[in-house]
């Protein structure tokens, strides 16, 4: 079976990137894999053969408003020129999902929608008017997809609790396949950066690592830290990441006069070292589909506190989880961690994490099962 994948991950165009290597591995699971990526017009960005049977196409769109139209146009040419049995997989149920559905409807081929975001969470809808439209679009598309892959039980539960207008989605149509994390690679990674040596002024180091965007709600961690520092002045928070909220976070830190205790670093490629040398990992997001850094920190042997999002309730003891946006609960859990009273993540979930070979087999089976629906 041939696979036509539509997504937005521009890192696939970077030679040697993890994203590109992942696509090459997916290509080995199919007769042929064609990947269309939403991109603006960039000089010298063109079709690339990633391997003998894996091909990458940029939309090279004039603007973001042309992404869907351009992706559909490329997809039609691929299917018309290639022939054979196809499955379309769209990497989200929004604009990308719409492009996939338009092509699937024209050629009467199965559509797999992948859902990586808990889009039915109220915080997602409140974030922007565009997100409100996306929720409506996703519900429309999900009821018309041949199958749906979600990355956590939380998202599956959300879909069952908030069915689209067409009615309840059959459980047979929804498959849970988390994001792959190479647990063994993380466990065996050497410590290149020791946070305790890098920041000897702190006797307890908290780490948070993510893109600095509004939904990550890192400002909540800053506010909680301002309270915790009153009792433990030698505690430090390291924020590893970049993004549009950086300036706002810097202003908040300065206004609270806690510059000595909170340090913002650029995103680190060596996060395994950070996890292994921090005393606590903190995730404060308003919503998550999965929560990759949470799992990576747990695999590294770091204690974790998380808002009630993504897979937090699958991997953490209840007392390690706080209500989204609740500063007082977060503060109390940090204090508990500093006093050495916080439990480690659940080993049962970590023990069941698949090897890469097992994961790829499961990924291929999702394609095969979905391809049989029409």
């Amino acid at each position: 079976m041939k696979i036509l994948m539509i997504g937005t991950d521009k890192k696939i165009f970077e030679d040697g990137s993890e994203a590109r290597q992942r696509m090459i591995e997916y290509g080995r699971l199919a007769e042929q894999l064609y990947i269309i990526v939403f991109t603006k017009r960039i000089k010298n960005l063109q079709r690339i053969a990633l391997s003998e049977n894996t091909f990458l196409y940029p939309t090279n769109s004039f603007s973001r408003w042309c992404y869907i139209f351009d992706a559909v146009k490329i997809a039609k040419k691929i299917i018309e020129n290639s022939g054979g049995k196809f499955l379309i997989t769209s990497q989200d149920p929004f604009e990308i999902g719409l492009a996939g559905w338009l092509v699937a409807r024209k050629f009467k081929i199965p559509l797999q929608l992948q859902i990586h975001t808990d889009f039915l969470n109220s915080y997602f809808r409140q974030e922007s008017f565009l997100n409100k439209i996306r929720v409506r679009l996703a519900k429309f598309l999900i009821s018309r997809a041949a199958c749906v892959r979600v990355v956590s039980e939380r998202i599956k539960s959300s879909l069952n609790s908030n069915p689209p207008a067409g009615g309840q989605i059959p459980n047979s149509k929804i498959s849970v396949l988390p994001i792959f994390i190479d647990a063994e690679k993380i466990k065996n990674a050497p410590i290149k950066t020791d946070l305790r040596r890098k920041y000897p002024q702190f006797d307890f180091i908290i780490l948070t690592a993510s893109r600095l965007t509004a939904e990550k709600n890192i400002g909540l961690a800053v506010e909680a830290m301002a309270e915790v520092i009153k009792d433990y002045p030698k505690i430090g928070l390291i924020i590893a990441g970049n993004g549009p909220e950086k300036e706002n976070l810097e202003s908040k830190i300065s206004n609270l006069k806690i510059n000595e205790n909170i340090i913002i670093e650029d995103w680190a490629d060596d996060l395994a070292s950070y996890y292994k040398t921090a005393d606590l990992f903190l995730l404060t997001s308003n919503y998550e589909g999965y929560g990759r850094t949470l799992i990576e920190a747990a695999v590294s042997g770091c204690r974790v506190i998380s808002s009630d999002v993504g897979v937090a309730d699958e991997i953490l003891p209840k007392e390690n989880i706080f209500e989204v946006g609740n500063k007082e609960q977060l503060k109390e859990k940090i204090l508990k961690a500093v006093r050495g009273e916080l439990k480690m993540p659940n080993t049962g979930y970590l023990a069941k994490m698949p090897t890469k070979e097992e994961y790829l087999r499961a990924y291929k089976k999702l394609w095969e099962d979905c391809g049989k629906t029409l």
Side-chain angles (χ1 to χ4, degrees):
M1 182 168 57
K2 298 177 181 179
I3 306 295
L4 195 152
M5 181 183 290
I6 307 175
T8 61
D9 192 350
K10 298 174 182 61
K11 288 188 178 296
I12 304 171
F13 290 97
E14 297 176 12
D15 192 19
S17 67
E18 286 188 15
R20 176 175 287 198
Q21 182 58 37
R22 185 168 63 248
M23 292 302 113
I24 293 171
E25 290 171 349
Y26 288 165
R28 298 188 187 117
L29 308 178
E31 181 184 343
Q32 288 179 324
L33 173 60
Y34 301 91
I35 307 156
I36 301 171
V37 179
F38 284 6
T39 64
K40 289 187 180 178
R41 195 168 294 168
I42 301 174
K43 188 178 181 181
N44 297 326
L45 196 61
Q46 55 190 346
R47 174 186 177 276
I48 302 171
L50 302 183
S51 68
E52 290 183 0
N53 73 328
T54 304
F55 308 96
L56 178 61
Y57 297 79
T59 59
N60 272 327
S61 302
F62 177 73
S63 76
R64 60 179 295 183
W65 305 108
C66 301
Y67 284 161
I68 296 172
F69 172 80
D70 292 333
V72 169
K73 185 167 66 172
I74 293 169
K76 286 180 179 178
K77 287 183 179 179
I78 290 171
I79 294 172
E80 289 168 350
N81 295 334
S82 300
K85 186 177 180 182
F86 267 88
L87 168 73
I88 296 177
T89 177
S90 292
Q91 299 296 293
D92 75 33
F94 312 126
E95 294 95 319
I96 295 170
L98 178 57
W101 176 70
L102 290 171
V103 179
R105 185 181 64 167
K106 176 175 176 58
F107 291 98
K108 294 182 172 54
I109 55 181
L111 169 66
Q112 179 195 57
L113 287 180
Q114 300 209 32
I115 304 179
H116 295 251
T117 300
D118 187 9
F119 72 94
L120 290 171
N121 185 294
S122 60
Y123 286 96
F124 180 87
R125 291 193 297 272
Q126 293 166 12
E127 199 169 90
S128 68
F129 178 70
L130 178 58
N131 279 3
K132 290 183 174 66
I133 296 173
R134 283 173 168 157
V135 171
R136 289 179 174 271
L137 177 59
K139 287 190 171 187
F140 170 85
L141 294 173
I142 287 169
S143 64
R144 289 159 176 80
C147 60
V148 178
R149 176 244 174 152
V150 299
V151 296
S152 66
E153 292 290 344
R154 184 184 297 269
I155 298 178
K156 181 177 180 179
S157 178
S158 293
L159 291 176
N160 288 332
S161 302
N162 301 276
Q168 193 75 30
I169 306 168
N171 272 331
S172 59
K173 189 175 178 176
I174 307 173
S175 299
V176 180
L177 182 63
I179 296 166
F180 176 70
I181 293 174
D182 194 336
E184 288 304 310
K185 182 179 179 181
I186 294 172
K187 289 176 186 176
N188 297 326
I191 295 175
K192 298 177 182 176
T193 305
D194 188 329
L195 290 180
R196 296 185 184 99
R197 289 185 178 181
K198 190 174 183 179
Y199 300 109
Q201 69 269 35
F202 301 134
D203 56 20
F204 190 93
I205 295 176
I206 302 173
L207 170 68
T208 187
S210 76
R211 183 163 164 74
L212 307 183
T213 53
E215 75 272 12
K216 301 302 182 182
N217 200 12
I218 296 173
L220 182 73
V222 172
E223 292 169 11
M225 280 291 293
E227 298 294 318
V228 172
I229 288 166
K230 294 175 184 177
D231 296 319
Y232 295 94
K234 287 193 174 182
I235 194 170
L237 171 64
I238 311 302
I239 302 170
N242 301 296
E245 283 293 299
K246 184 175 181 179
E247 191 173 318
N248 290 337
L249 287 170
E250 289 173 337
S251 294
K252 184 183 286 285
I253 292 166
S254 180
N255 291 338
L256 290 170
K257 296 180 172 59
I258 50 176
N259 306 66
E260 297 298 317
N261 296 82
I262 300 183
I263 296 167
I264 300 179
E265 290 192 359
D266 288 337
W267 180 261
D269 292 327
D270 183 32
L271 272 183
S273 293
Y274 281 54
Y275 297 134
K276 291 178 180 182
T277 57
D279 296 291
L280 175 68
F281 182 78
L282 182 58
L283 189 148
T284 54
S285 299
N286 290 334
Y287 59 86
E288 289 279 354
Y290 184 62
R292 182 187 185 107
T293 53
L294 187 158
I295 303 295
E296 291 175 343
V299 166
S300 301
C302 189
R303 284 179 167 77
V304 178
I305 292 173
S306 175
S307 51
D308 190 9
V309 298
V311 292
D313 59 350
E314 297 179 56
I315 191 171
L316 297 179
K318 189 175 181 180
E319 54 265 42
N320 293 41
I321 302 171
F322 66 94
E323 181 183 327
V324 172
N326 192 316
K327 184 179 74 174
E328 286 304 311
Q329 284 186 15
L330 173 57
K331 182 187 84 170
E332 289 306 314
K333 293 186 187 301
I334 293 175
L335 289 171
K336 194 173 181 180
V338 175
R339 294 193 297 264
E341 300 169 1
L342 195 73
K343 291 183 179 181
M344 292 295 289
N346 299 327
T347 55
Y349 184 97
L350 301 178
K352 293 186 294 185
M353 292 179 65
T355 63
K356 181 173 284 188
E357 291 73 21
E358 291 169 337
Y359 185 85
L360 290 173
R361 283 198 295 270
Y363 206 96
K364 182 179 181 180
K365 189 174 187 305
L366 290 187
W367 282 349
E368 291 174 342
D369 292 345
C370 195
K372 296 173 185 176
T373 57
L374 288 181

